[in-house]
Amino acid sequence: MSDQDTAAGTPAPSGPLGYGDRVQLTGPKGRLNTITLVPEGEFHSHRGVIAHADLVGLPDASVVSNSSGEEYLVLRPLLSDFVMSMPRGAAIVYPKDAAQILSLADIFPGARVVEAGVGSGALSLHLLRGIGEQGELFSFERRDEFADVARANVAAFSGSVPENWTLTVGDLQDTLPATCPAGSVDRVVLDMLAPWECVDVAAEALQPGGVLICYVATVTQLSRTAEQIRRSGQFTHPQSSETMVRGWHVEGLAVRPDHRMVAHTGFLITARRLAPNTVVPSLKRRASKSEFSDADLANWLPDLAEGASSDEVWTPEVVGERQKSEKVLRKKVREARNFASERRADTPDTDTQN
């Protein structure tokens, strides 16, 4: 990297630090501060100041001192660190779940992937990393504000909006058939309130053997999604799981679990697309008390009852989703755009289709 590049600056994954880079400063007490290096910028704490210019040109993983001599470790954030500190319009898919999605769905370089429910762009960044430059990611989001935040975050991380990423605003049922021909998609990832409503359109887009994976927050959503996958007759038997991560304190002889852990964030349910006119073999099980009827399902899943409406039963409030006000969302959009601007990232509006 030349001195001119270091001075001008664009987000870089490695090499000497430059303007536009996102960096983590860790102080002597282990407190983490994430900043973007900008000309004339300064990092202030109650114990001193570090000028951004003092960091530019340093190798990654350096140690610097502030104005009072206090030392800080300087590191570029990993992707998992970046998504945890970027502006959020909607709740993000945590790195532990994103990693499982990439593994369980077998996201491979060159894959054609559909993602519905972009939120703040955290999962989009992981999927783009997984498919590489030869793959294609087709993302769909119902809300303009979330799409704006996601586009800015992806551009901030990448330096510009990737050419192999298409972000479409609208309902998946209406927009997917017009974007992806039938049988042209390798993977479909659904992160939304009611993924069962999109099972049929996902099946149409997937090629035989393709993977459908859904991320849901509650057991009722998990059950409803599994039943719709089974009823569709177009997929293998669904498999469900959740991932819990517990850190450990390891220091000398003091070895114990951390007092805090990232426990339940969501469930993952996966299934494979069947070939046309294929009927999946029934699972052979012993008769048990777990046998159920349509009436039993209707008691557990209200929208399966006769005359019930899914729109009335499954609302964000019912499943415990926290909704941000329009004022807060507009603020998050401004934050995300300023974030991308600090990183000298290009975020053209033309990348979003309506």
Side-chain angles (χ1 to χ4, degrees):
M1 180 180 292
S2 66
D3 295 339
Q4 183 178 359
D5 291 334
T6 302
T10 56
S14 61
L17 301 177
Y19 291 121
D21 283 347
R22 193 77 165 162
V23 300
Q24 294 176 331
L25 298 173
T26 305
K29 293 185 178 180
R31 183 173 181 179
L32 190 67
N33 299 274
T34 306
I35 63 173
T36 302
L37 299 181
V38 296
E40 310 300 328
E42 293 181 332
F43 167 71
H44 290 258
S45 71
H46 66 287
R47 289 182 175 271
V49 179
I50 299 176
H52 290 195
D54 293 341
L55 304 180
V56 172
L58 291 178
D60 200 354
S62 295
V63 175
V64 297
S65 299
N66 66 8
S67 57
S68 64
E70 199 168 53
E71 292 186 331
Y72 284 78
L73 174 64
V74 185
L75 285 167
R76 274 194 182 90
L78 303 175
L79 174 56
S80 57
D81 300 317
F82 183 91
V83 299
M84 294 301 293
S85 65
M86 69 187 190
R88 302 183 189 182
I92 66 168
V93 174
Y94 275 70
K96 72 181 183 70
D97 295 314
Q100 286 293 92
I101 288 172
L102 264 64
S103 177
L104 294 176
D106 189 23
I107 305 296
F108 58 90
R112 288 171 57 87
V113 179
V114 166
E115 171 201 19
V118 175
S120 300
L123 182 57
S124 303
L125 285 168
H126 284 89
L127 292 173
L128 286 166
R129 175 68 62 83
I131 64 176
E133 295 182 358
Q134 303 305 314
E136 291 184 89
L137 176 62
F138 303 91
S139 299
F140 298 82
E141 174 55 55
R142 300 176 69 177
R143 301 197 61 170
D144 289 286
E145 299 89 347
F146 292 167
D148 288 340
V149 172
R151 189 188 320 108
N153 283 333
V154 170
F157 183 79
S158 307
S160 63
V161 175
E163 294 183 359
N164 61 339
W165 183 43
T166 302
L167 176 55
T168 302
V169 177
D171 289 331
L172 186 69
Q173 298 98 311
D174 301 328
T175 54
L176 179 56
T179 305
C180 300
S184 66
V185 173
D186 298 302
R187 308 289 186 258
V188 174
V189 185
L190 302 181
D191 173 19
M192 54 177 60
L193 179 67
W196 51 88
E197 296 176 349
C198 299
V199 166
D200 290 337
V201 71
E204 181 180 356
L206 280 168
Q207 62 175 318
V211 178
L212 169 67
I213 185 164
C214 305
Y215 178 78
V216 293
T218 68
V219 292
T220 46
Q221 290 170 291
L222 177 69
S223 179
R224 183 65 178 86
T225 303
E227 293 309 319
Q228 184 58 41
I229 290 174
R230 292 191 182 99
R231 288 171 174 236
S232 74
Q234 301 179 88
F235 291 92
T236 60
H237 296 292
Q239 302 292 320
S240 306
S241 66
E242 68 172 326
T243 303
M244 298 184 183
V245 175
R246 182 173 71 174
W248 279 70
H249 173 90
V250 182
E251 191 171 325
L253 298 180
V255 181
R256 55 171 173 73
D258 284 340
H259 295 304
R260 293 184 178 183
M261 66 175 291
V262 181
H264 174 75
T265 48
F267 299 100
L268 293 175
I269 181 167
T270 61
R272 302 284 298 275
R273 177 69 164 98
L274 294 172
N277 304 315
T278 299
V279 178
V280 66
S282 299
L283 295 176
K284 295 182 179 180
R285 293 192 179 99
R286 294 181 179 179
S288 69
K289 295 180 181 179
S290 63
E291 296 295 329
F292 57 87
S293 65
D294 287 344
D296 295 324
L297 277 178
N299 289 330
W300 168 241
L301 303 169
D303 69 312
L304 291 180
E306 185 176 353
S309 169
S310 179
D311 292 338
E312 296 174 356
V313 174
W314 299 96
T315 64
E317 293 76 18
V318 168
V319 299
E321 283 191 7
R322 295 181 179 180
Q323 297 293 297
K324 290 185 171 69
S325 67
E326 295 296 328
K327 180 179 180 181
V328 171
L329 285 178
R330 289 193 296 269
K331 178 182 178 182
K332 293 299 180 182
V333 170
R334 291 194 300 270
E335 288 179 359
R337 287 175 174 169
N338 291 337
F339 179 42
S341 177
E342 287 179 347
R343 304 206 76 200
R344 309 280 179 97
D346 181 24
T347 56
D349 293 336
T350 54
D351 283 349
T352 298
Q353 301 176 1
N354 291 284

